[in-house]
Amino acid sequence: MPQEDDESEIKLLKKELEVSQARIESLEKENQELKQEVSRLKAQISSLRAHNNERKTMLWKKLQNSLDSNYTDASQHKPSIFMSVSEQRPGVLEKTSAGTDIPEAIAEKKTIKVPNPPPRPHPVTPSVPKEVVKGNKAPPTPPPPPLPSKLLAGSRAVRRVPEVMELYRSLTRRDANKDNRTNPAGTPVVAFTKNMIGEIENRSSYLSAIKSDVESREEFIKFLVNEVESAAHRDISEVESFVKWLDEELSSLVDERAVLRHFPQWPERKADALREAAFTYRDLRSLESEVSHFEDNPKEPLTQALRRIQALQDRLEQSIDNIERMRESTSKRYRDLLIPWEWMLDTGLIGQMKLSSLKLAKEYMKRIAKQLQSDECSNDDNLMLQGVRFAYRIHQFAGGFDVETIQVFQKLKKVGLGSDK
């Protein structure tokens, strides 16, 4: 009897253990998903905050320039007769202290900005149909998908190197408890005065300027609405040019959001998506250029140099991870809005960024191999493990090594294993 009780108790404990393990796995999976969502939201907040700060700065400068110009005009004003180009009001006159008749339009004179034409796509981009039925335009035809990229062809082709994985596993078995990963330093957030907007909105001149823009710029806004709605580009670089033009045109408004709020026909969803695509592409291209042109400083201490390379790789992986996590939903949204999305694929800029990480792998391994060749580090097994671990990390990230990276790895292996003898 006691033996049977023990067996039943053991079975009960095993079942409870299995339930607990399943619960732990579920919680770990949920925790990982929440971490990814937090990372995505943080990246999105950072991007929106940077864009908002740029607009606040521009708004503040425009207000200061407006106030300065108003003061200058008032101090240098001379009695004379002017006729406003767009606001002529014949017969409505005011008397100055000198008794000279001046049109009332002088006080309300405002230069009407003639919008510049937007940058036009390349001829291969399908034009917007010209059929107009009772003032309604037919929807533009989506641009055809681009030809496949050949970024992975030629000398930049990568292939799997089993040797990298074998060496990494053999070294990690020897020293499984050591981890050499570093965390990139957090990007400082530019501090702005929280009450800046509140102070600006309290100025009557600011509110009057908004009202004036709403009343006098209706045709200008309609023109921009039409351009944004009909925008259909083939290449993301064309979107960059279009967004730059759009921002320059909207900068003529005293406050973009405050004015556009009075125009319900403004295609805010598409305008924001165009900006998002252009800014994301610009930031990724800038990061890719920084990685591709990275140069190691031989005079820099080893620890500091390796940490700098690791931090750059961390930024690269984080940026690509953010894109790949949201790629499916983002690409669908871009397709619906006729915005190029192929650059988000591995055959586009993302694949090019992964290949650029080979530059970091080579610099990292070269620096460690050079250090291992010196007398003071001839027996440093940990340094060898650190180099192989980073090489393995890039190998998995880029999908393999190219010929030049394989040669650098072979040299590191030769120097490292030779130091064990």
Side-chain angles (χ1 to χ4, degrees):
M1 286 294 293
Q3 187 175 357
E4 294 179 357
D5 293 340
D6 291 341
E7 289 179 357
S8 61
E9 186 175 354
I10 290 173
K11 289 181 180 179
L12 181 61
L13 291 174
K14 283 184 178 180
K15 186 175 293 186
E16 291 179 355
L17 179 61
E18 291 175 357
V19 173
S20 298
Q21 288 177 339
R23 177 62 176 165
I24 290 172
E25 290 177 0
S26 175
L27 290 174
E28 287 179 348
K29 183 178 180 181
E30 184 178 353
N31 186 39
Q32 187 65 24
E33 292 175 352
L34 290 174
K35 284 182 179 179
Q36 292 178 352
E37 181 67 14
V38 168
S39 299
R40 184 188 67 81
L41 292 175
K42 283 183 178 179
Q44 190 174 6
I45 290 173
S46 177
S47 175
L48 292 174
R49 184 175 293 163
H51 182 55
N52 192 36
N53 288 338
E54 291 179 4
R55 294 169 63 183
K56 286 180 181 177
T57 305
M58 185 182 299
L59 172 61
W60 181 255
K61 288 180 179 179
K62 284 194 295 183
L63 179 63
Q64 289 293 100
N65 293 336
S66 176
L67 293 175
D68 292 342
S69 62
N70 288 341
Y71 176 79
T72 304
D73 292 343
S75 62
Q76 297 180 354
H77 181 70
K78 294 181 179 180
S80 58
I81 299 179
F82 295 89
M83 296 300 292
S84 173
V85 175
S86 60
E87 299 179 7
Q88 295 181 5
R89 299 184 182 181
V92 182
L93 303 176
E94 291 181 342
K95 294 283 185 176
T96 64
S97 57
T100 306
D101 292 336
I102 298 179
E104 182 185 355
I106 294 178
E108 301 177 3
K109 183 180 178 181
K110 183 178 180 65
T111 303
I112 301 301
K113 182 181 185 301
V114 179
N116 297 317
R120 295 302 175 189
H122 298 308
V124 293
T125 305
S127 58
V128 180
K130 297 182 179 179
E131 296 89 344
V132 179
V133 182
K134 295 183 180 181
N136 295 326
K137 287 189 175 181
T141 305
L147 298 176
S149 174
K150 296 184 179 179
L151 290 173
L152 304 182
S155 60
R156 292 291 289 169
V158 297
R159 61 180 177 87
R160 290 284 179 179
V161 186
E163 222 176 327
V164 177
M165 294 177 277
E166 291 171 5
L167 182 58
Y168 171 73
R169 287 166 185 160
S170 66
L171 291 176
T172 51
R173 277 197 297 268
R174 247 194 277 169
D175 197 356
N177 294 327
K178 294 184 179 180
D179 189 1
N180 195 55
R181 292 200 64 176
T182 60
N183 293 322
T187 306
V189 179
V190 180
F192 270 82
T193 306
K194 294 181 180 180
N195 296 327
M196 180 186 294
I197 298 301
E199 293 174 0
I200 294 176
E201 289 180 345
N202 287 332
R203 297 174 180 267
S204 59
S205 59
Y206 170 75
L207 297 176
S208 298
I210 291 177
K211 184 179 179 182
S212 175
D213 271 354
V214 171
E215 294 174 350
S216 63
R217 310 299 295 278
E218 184 176 358
E219 291 301 319
F220 172 73
I221 300 299
K222 286 182 179 179
F223 167 75
L224 296 183
V225 167
N226 179 66
E227 292 298 330
V228 173
E229 287 181 338
S230 61
H233 302 279
R234 178 183 177 87
D235 190 81
I236 185 64
S237 60
E238 295 174 356
V239 176
E240 273 194 295
S241 301
F242 181 83
V243 168
K244 182 180 179 182
W245 167 83
L246 180 63
D247 285 344
E248 287 176 354
E249 294 300 313
L250 290 173
S251 67
S252 64
L253 302 176
V254 67
D255 185 336
E256 174 188 327
R257 289 200 177 274
V259 173
L260 294 179
R261 193 181 300 127
H262 295 81
F263 295 89
Q265 69 271 31
W266 173 252
E268 183 177 2
R269 180 170 175 261
K270 183 168 184 178
D272 289 347
L274 285 165
R275 280 170 164 164
E276 175 189 291
F279 295 154
T280 302
Y281 177 77
R282 180 195 64 187
D283 293 343
L284 291 177
R285 192 179 57 185
S286 175
L287 179 57
E288 192 276 333
S289 177
E290 183 180 354
V291 173
S292 299
H293 295 87
F294 177 84
E295 294 294 339
D296 182 36
N297 182 7
K299 297 181 180 180
E300 190 176 16
L302 176 68
T303 303
Q304 186 175 344
L306 298 184
R307 187 180 294 118
R308 189 159 63 95
I309 297 175
Q310 288 175 335
L312 194 52
Q313 178 63 21
D314 287 339
R315 287 172 53 199
L316 191 66
E317 291 183 12
Q318 183 65 45
S319 298
I320 293 180
D321 182 60
N322 290 338
I323 292 292
E324 291 181 335
R325 254 199 338 267
M326 304 297 296
R327 182 159 54 191
E328 184 175 353
S329 60
T330 303
S331 61
K332 182 180 183 303
R333 179 161 53 93
Y334 287 176
R335 281 196 299 269
D336 294 341
L337 297 171
L338 305 181
I339 300 174
W341 53 272
E342 294 83 359
W343 55 274
M344 303 170 65
L345 303 176
D346 284 342
T347 54
L349 178 61
I350 298 302
Q352 187 176 340
M353 293 179 71
K354 289 182 178 180
L355 286 178
S356 68
S357 65
L358 298 179
K359 170 78 170 178
L360 300 180
K362 287 183 287 188
E363 295 294 338
Y364 200 96
M365 290 188 289
K366 285 178 182 178
R367 189 62 186 264
I368 288 186
K370 182 179 178 181
Q371 191 72 20
L372 288 174
Q373 287 177 321
S374 63
D375 294 336
E376 62 267 20
C377 293
S378 57
N379 295 316
D380 195 337
D381 293 339
N382 182 62
L383 192 59
M384 175 63 179
L385 173 61
Q386 187 174 341
V388 174
R389 178 183 283 119
F390 191 77
Y392 175 76
R393 175 184 176 185
I394 303 295
H395 180 274
Q396 299 303 102
F397 177 70
F401 283 166
D402 59 10
V403 175
E404 188 177 349
T405 312
I406 292 175
Q407 293 174 351
V408 177
F409 172 77
Q410 293 291 353
K411 181 179 179 180
L412 172 65
K413 180 181 177 182
K414 182 179 179 181
V415 173
L417 296 182
S419 65
D420 292 338
K421 298 178 181 179

